[in-house]
Amino acid sequence: KESPSESISAPLSAEEIYRMIRETAYFKAEARGFVPGVELQDWLEAEKEVRQRLEGAGLESFQTSPGAQRPR
């Protein structure tokens, strides 16, 4: 059976990374009861966590583009 890091062999697309960030931000918001006003903080923390997970898995570092969409 493959380990999680072995199952991700190809570089992830920007769309896949965006999905990972979106899901992580959602779970952060859910954990704090969806209290409004800190959505941007959730998103930025999620970006950082996903970047760290990808780098820890030995995948290429990624840069979010300046025009990347963020939740409103």
Side-chain angles (χ1 to χ4, degrees):
K1 186 175 181 178
E2 293 181 341
S3 72
S5 62
E6 291 173 340
S7 65
I8 304 174
S9 57
L12 297 172
S13 71
E15 183 178 330
E16 291 168 316
I17 293 169
Y18 177 82
R19 252 185 267 145
M20 291 172 70
I21 294 168
R22 185 179 64 205
E23 183 176 287
T24 301
Y26 173 86
F27 288 125
K28 289 181 154 304
E30 181 181 49
R32 62 175 173 70
F34 296 105
V35 175
V38 289
E39 296 86 355
L40 180 58
Q41 181 179 341
D42 289 341
W43 187 266
L44 295 175
E45 288 176 7
E47 281 184 341
K48 183 179 179 181
E49 288 178 22
V50 168
R51 182 179 298 115
Q52 289 171 343
R53 285 196 310 251
L54 293 176
E55 289 173 353
L59 298 173
E60 290 182 15
S61 176
F62 71 96
Q63 296 288 325
T64 53
S65 65
Q69 293 181 344
R70 290 202 161 81
R72 296 175 186 194

